[in-house]
Structure formats: C-alpha cells, structure tokens
Amino acid sequence: MKLGSPFRPRLLSALLISIFLGSAPATPAQERGELRIATSYKLMTLDPQYANLNENTSLLSHIYERLVYQDENLELKPGLATSWRPLSDTQWAFKLRDKVRFHDGSAFDADDVVYTIERIRDFLKPPSGGFRSYVSGIKSVSAPDPLTVLIETDAAVPNLPLFFSSIFVMNRPSKGFETTEDLNAGHPPNGTGPYRFESWSSGESLRLARNDDYWGGKPAWSKVTFRVIENPAARVAALSTGEVDVADAIPARDVASLKERGARVASVGAARVNFVQFDVARDTLPGVTDKSGEPIANPFKNPLVRRALTLATDRGILVDKILAGYGTAAAQVFPNGLPGTSAKLLPEAPNYDEAKMLLAKAGFPDGFNLVLAGPAGRYPGDAESLQAVAQSWARIGVNAQPAAAPFSVFNTKRAAGDYGVWYGGTSGEAVDIILHTLLASPDPERGTGALNFGKYRNEAFDAMLARAESIAVGPERNAALAQATELVMADQPIIPLYHFHHIVGYGSRIGSYVLHPRGWTTAMQTLPAME
C-alpha cells in the first residue's frame, strides 16, 4: 500500500493563483478554440446553491465564483473577497473585490453576498448534501457599503472563511428569491466566472463560452464543451482517439496503455474518503437476512459486528490491485498528515480469526446475508471495490451480494432507505467539514449529519466535535479534531477504505493540467500547448 502525503506544491504560486482563482490569462500563442472535456460528472442542476456535490461545484465553477477559494494545499486564498478578519468572536468583516461584473453586465457588490447567504439560509429546501450547514450559524448579514460585508454569528465560528470557499455567489434579482425550478428552466445562469453559459443538456453536455470581460484576465479557451461520459472505458477511448482533449477519472489500470498511445497523465491524492456505511438506526434492514433468507434484527446496531466487518476488510487489495497503487489505505476521513488528522489512526491488516470471534460473540457464529450497495462508475474502482469487500467478508461467513447501480439511481435509493449497508464517498474542505456532515448526529437545526444516511448518533463525539469547532484555526483545533476522530472511529460507524488519487489524461493540444485534491475538473486547470 502506498502511503505518504500527496499534497506538494506543484507550480509557482502565481500560476496556481491564476488557475484556481479563475482562469490563466491567454497569450496570442496560447489561445485556442474549443476545449473538449470528457467528464464523469453529470451536472444535476443549474442552481449553484442546491446540492453540494462535486459534479455541480466543479462544472458550475466556470460560471460562478466564491468569496474565498482553496489552493492545491487546501490553503485559503482571496476570491471575490480580497480580505477578511474577525471583529469579535461572533463578528466578521469581508472586503470585496472592486470592478467585478456579472455576465449580464451588472456590478458585483455586497448586496449580492447578502442575497446569497439569505437564499441558502432562509429560502432553499435542498436535499441532504446542501449548503445550509455552512450558513446556519449566521445570525445576520449586512452591507454597510458596496464593498463590505458584515456577518454576525450566533456563536463563535472560527473557520467561517473556510465555509465560504464552498459557496457560489449569485446575483441579487430585482425582487424575491430565485427558485431552483426557475434556474433550471433555461434562462442563462448569471455569474462572475471566466466562462459564460451557452447550453446544457442534462446528462449529456454543458457548453460554455469565454467571458472576455473577466476580471481575472482573458481565459485561454474561446469555447469549452463538457461531454458527460459516465463509463470509464468510453472516456479512455474518447481520449485515445482524439475525440476529446481531456478525460477525468481515468481508471488506474488504463494509465499505462494511455501513455503508450501518446496521452499524458496527471494525478494527485484526493482530499476525500471512500467508505462502507451502516444503517444503525432501523430495527430491520432491507437485504439483511439469516443464511436461510429470513429477516433478522439489524446486526449493525452492535458495535462488535461493525468491528468484525472492519477486521475482515482487506484494504491492501483495494489499493494495490484495484487502484493499481493510485490510492492510500484509509483509517480516517483524510489522509494522515493533513490538519485535523490523527497520527494514531493507521490502516489495519485484515484479521479474519478475530473477526469470526467477534461475530460469534455478537450472536452470529454462522454469519448472515446482506446486500452491499454502491454506485458504478462514479469513483475509481467502485464496482470492483464492492466485489473485493464482498469476497473479504465471505471469509467470516458474511455473504454479501454486491449491487452496483448508476449514481443517480443509487443516490435516490440510498436516500429512500432502500439499503442497509453501502459503499460511498465524500470530500470536503477540511476534516471537520466531513466529520460534521458524515458522522455527526443528524440535526437539521444545527445543519449536522447531512450525509449521515446511517443515522448514527454519538453524543460524546458530537460534544467533542462541537468543542473542536469552537477553537480558532491552529494546532489546538487540529489536536481536538484528532481526538474526536479517534473516539468516533473506535465505534466504527463507517469503515474507511481508501483515499483514491484523482487521475486525469490529456492529449497533444494540452500543455499541462494542474490537478486539485478536491477533484475538480475545469477548463481553468487546463493550459494550451505552446506552438
């Protein structure tokens, strides 16, 4: 298994700022026509504040921008806000960038930020995975002048700027709040980003045109077309034949053959985790039976069962075989070494004998049957990972039937409670963001547990996490987050599997492609080849 920190500076900071903040300005020799990208990301909505999913945040980042952004080391940098500072424990001031215009020509100012926050906090009713948790603690927001935003929070929110690195700023309409339905109805999205919206065919394509008036400099590509190709083999084929210039989410097994055919490959470790998650709330679960096929009481309520399945999971096979080394075995939500992680949590080798003993102690000496659900084609090695985990669990008598489905189908069924145990993945700006959404007790008022589909609850962990989140960014906060992580991981509400590496392939028209650990696929990361 390959370990080590993948978060190393890759280019000069000035270049990174131009790429990740907006778009690298083009020179006459660099400027190109249409950039063609084959993406696994299926844009689900044109509402930039509706669902906090990578496919939306990645693609809509061409059109909309954030107050703050994270560079490739996950450090905060100025975006539409040039600076920010706390005025007290519960008050913040953000200074905005001057002379920025929306695509319709209207000026960007503080009223747009106020509208953005209030729309998310007070108006939207998104599905789990929305942005409300980022603004739920904001008591009031005001604009004392066009380039200043004052924010007052209910309690101390030391990492408020980090929250804004995930929120796209929208233009305030003449009256009321725009609905998601209105935004999806066909009128052009109106952002401040480097590219303007041209057309969108859900599940098929997104077409963009260069914003020649972009405040960050003229973008390198006059046109950008994203083709949604969910099948990994089809993305690889499209790149190999020259149908596209860039293809994301390349399977590790295809890297060598792509290089042989002249393509180049970039990779970076992901600021995310893939895991198995248990439903620990319901008394009985769909697909979970005894060996004769009869329903049984929910075994995942017992921490001994969760521990047994963890010990029966061979992460080495997942990383070394399925990911071909393009991944790191996981024991927590972020790779070791990043802020907030615990040096004490290390991946364990499987121990099938101990796992069998724990199952017997829990009352399942012969094991049981279950359906192990998961998406197919969304994450590197997802369907194969289901098979590998099922094979590992079979060694302790737990017969798992893999059930892979397209992500849209899987996501709908998971939210509807059709699964008892499933494979999933999530990313975030920082350790506490993932802990907050994935493992904290579901609480709509506090905005916690948006991705806690297993309905896991641990009051001691909730208290430790809340304490950590009240501490200013720095070593003390990191230590408190590590301690909270150690506590919750000992209870095994999920089985962390791996942190995969993002892999992107690109052809001869591309000079370089700069990957980001958040896994975004954008034209701004793509520089034309020099003639």
Side-chain angles (χ1 to χ4, degrees), residues 9-38:
R10 297 182 180 272
L11 289 177
L12 294 175
S13 58
L15 176 59
L16 284 169
I17 289 173
S18 67
I19 291 172
F20 293 123
L21 180 55
S23 178
T27 66
Q30 286 180 305
E31 187 174 325
R32 292 294 184 272
E34 182 181 14
L35 173 66
R36 305 160 301 167
I37 300 177

Side-chain angles (χ1 to χ4, degrees), residues 307-322:
R307 177 61 179 159
L309 292 174
T310 299
L311 285 173
T313 302
D314 190 341
R315 297 173 176 86
I317 288 178
L318 301 177
V319 171
D320 295 335
K321 302 299 182 183
I322 294 175

Side-chain angles (χ1 to χ4, degrees), residues 202-225:
S202 181
E204 295 182 8
S205 65
L206 174 68
R207 298 182 185 279
L208 306 166
R210 179 170 55 206
N211 176 13
D212 288 328
D213 297 323
Y214 180 55
W215 64 266
K218 188 176 180 180
W221 305 95
S222 61
K223 300 279 187 181
V224 179
T225 297

Side-chain angles (χ1 to χ4, degrees), residues 307-308 311 348 351-360 396:
R307 177 61 179 159
L311 285 173
E348 297 177 275
N351 187 329
Y352 299 108
D353 290 336
E354 184 177 348
K356 288 180 181 178
M357 291 174 57
L358 290 174
L359 270 188
I396 63 170

Side-chain angles (χ1 to χ4, degrees), residues 25 49 136 176 205 269-270 320 351 477 503:
Q49 298 168 354
S136 59
S205 65
D320 295 335
N351 187 329
R477 180 189 182 94
I503 308 175

Side-chain angles (χ1 to χ4, degrees), residues 237-249:
L239 178 61
S240 299
T241 59
E243 294 178 36
V244 298
D245 303 303
V246 176
D248 66 16

